[in-house]
Amino acid sequence: LFNQEKVELSTDLVVPPGYEIHIPEGTDINLVNGASILSFSRIIALGTEERPIRIRSSDGLGSGLVVLNTDKETQLEYVEFEGLSNPSQNGWEMTGAVTFYEADVVISNTSFSGNRRGDDYINIIRSNFDIRESQFYDVMADALDSDFSIGSVTRSSFVNTGNDAIDSSGSTID
C-alpha cells in the first residue's frame, strides 16, 4: 500500500508474486534516477477525476512500470502517466514505458503523455486488456503496441503520436 500522497523512488521497486499493490487516489509517484516499478503482482490504482494518481518522472530519467506474469488483472482508473521511458539496465530492456506481459489489465480514464524514450508508450504482450475513455498524447513512437493479445479500445483518443496510434501483431482488438 502506498500510504503517502507524495512518493519519490530513486531505485527500482520490485514486487514479488503473491502480493497486491494498492495505490490510492491522489498519490503522486515520482520515478527519478532511472527508477522503475517492476511487479510480479497485480496493481490496483484507483484514482478519481478530482484526485487522479500520477506516475511521472520529474528528472526525465524515470523508467516506467512493468507488470509480469500475474494471475489477477491489474486495474488502472484515473491515472496520469507523464514523462516516462522504457526500463533498460544491464542488458535487459523493455520496449514500452508501461508494459504488461502475461498480465491482464483494465485501463479507464487514464492518460499517457510525453514519453522520453522507447518504441511504445504501452506494450501489452500475451494478455487480455480493456482500455476505455483514455488519452494518449505527445508520444514518441507507438502509443499502444499489442502483441499476441486480446482486447478492446473504446472512446479513447490518440493525439500527436510519432508512429502508430495502435500497433498490433498477432492480436485481436475491438
Side-chain angles (χ1 to χ4, degrees), residues 150-165:
I150 298 172
S152 63
V153 180
T154 55
R155 293 187 300 263
S156 295
S157 59
F158 300 84
V159 178
N160 196 25
T161 60
N163 200 12
D164 301 324

Side-chain angles (χ1 to χ4, degrees), residues 36 63-66 85-89 92-97 99 117:
S36 62
S63 291
L65 170 70
V66 180
S85 296
N86 61 317
S88 174
Q89 52 185 272
W92 180 80
E93 183 172 18
M94 305 301 288
T95 61
T99 300
R117 190 182 70 236

Side-chain angles (χ1 to χ4, degrees), residues 4 10-11 14 18 20 23 28 30-31 33-34 43 45 69 91 100 108 119 122 125 135 137 141 159 165 172-173:
Q4 299 175 357
S10 59
T11 60
V14 179
E20 284 187 353
I23 306 173
D28 182 340
N30 187 14
L31 301 173
N33 194 36
I43 297 172
N69 302 336
F100 297 93
S108 64
D119 292 338
I122 299 183
I125 307 150
Q135 302 80 38
Y137 54 95
V159 178
T172 301
I173 302 175

Side-chain angles (χ1 to χ4, degrees), residues 115 118-121 138-144 160-165:
N115 62 329
D119 292 338
D120 319 306
Y121 211 120
D138 298 332
V139 176
M140 287 186 62
D142 298 341
L144 167 61
N160 196 25
T161 60
N163 200 12
D164 301 324

Side-chain angles (χ1 to χ4, degrees), residues 9-20:
L9 296 175
S10 59
T11 60
D12 293 340
L13 172 63
V14 179
V15 180
Y19 291 86
E20 284 187 353

